[in-house]
């Protein structure tokens, strides 16, 4: 059973908006911090945004701050990423991740991962 399932990716033009969603399976039976990462072709996976289990804390990479918004259903393992003012540099496979507890962990400490959803931004 895939622990996390992402949806919402697609092909858009620069300046457009897109909303990603991630739903956890019953395999993840406690509320955890969740995050979005992305990986562009030929590059390492990078952190995008994270949100604590109670949605009290959020964190963003500098490259998306002010353009992307992470949100979640409070105390449920469902998370969203609203992406606005998209740029070609945002083109990547976007992965959802779940931590081990409510607090946002370090980027290398996420326990569960989804299989990713492709986001392509044309110029």
């Amino acid at each position: 059973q895939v622990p996390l399932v992402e949806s919402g990716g697609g092909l858009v033009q620069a300046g457009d908006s897109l909303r990603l969603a991630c739903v956890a399976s019953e395999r993840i039976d406690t509320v955890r911090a969740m995050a979005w990462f992305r990986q562009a072709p030929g590059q390492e996976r990078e952190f995008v945004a994270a949100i604590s289990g109670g949605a009290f804390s959020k964190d963003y990479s500098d490259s998306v701050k002010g353009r992307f918004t992470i949100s979640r259903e409070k105390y449920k393992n469902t998370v969203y990423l609203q992406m606005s003012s998209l740029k070609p540099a945002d083109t990547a496979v976007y992965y959802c991740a779940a931590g081990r507890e409510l607090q946002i962990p370090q980027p290398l400490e996420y326990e569960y991962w989804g299989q990713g959803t492709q986001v392509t931004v044309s110029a």
Side-chain angles (χ1 to χ4, degrees):
Q1 187 181 28
V2 179
L4 298 167
V5 178
E6 304 97 336
S7 62
L11 172 63
V12 297
Q13 294 185 330
D16 285 351
S17 298
L18 204 59
R19 189 190 195 212
L20 305 182
C22 172
V23 179
S25 70
E26 295 179 348
R27 176 179 173 182
I28 304 176
D29 57 1
T30 59
V31 177
R32 296 141 181 264
M34 298 186 75
W36 290 95
F37 289 75
R38 67 186 182 185
Q39 187 168 20
Q43 297 186 21
E44 294 186 353
R45 187 159 54 190
E46 66 170 350
F47 169 79
V48 174
I51 187 168
S52 62
F56 297 112
S57 299
K58 299 179 183 181
D59 191 21
Y60 296 93
S61 69
D62 289 340
S63 61
V64 306
K65 199 172 294 183
R67 299 188 299 121
F68 291 10
T69 302
I70 190 169
S71 62
R72 70 181 297 158
E73 297 186 24
K74 201 171 183 179
Y75 295 118
K76 291 186 179 180
N77 290 327
T78 299
V79 66
Y80 305 96
L81 186 68
Q82 179 67 46
M83 304 184 293
S84 302
S85 302
L86 283 163
K87 307 174 182 179
D90 295 317
T91 295
V93 177
Y94 283 71
Y95 296 91
C96 177
R100 299 177 186 277
E101 54 187 14
L102 292 172
Q103 292 79 13
I104 295 173
Q106 294 298 312
L108 296 179
E109 297 176 350
Y110 284 87
E111 183 174 8
Y112 293 103
W113 294 85
Q115 295 183 325
T117 185
Q118 176 70 47
V119 173
T120 303
V121 185
S122 63

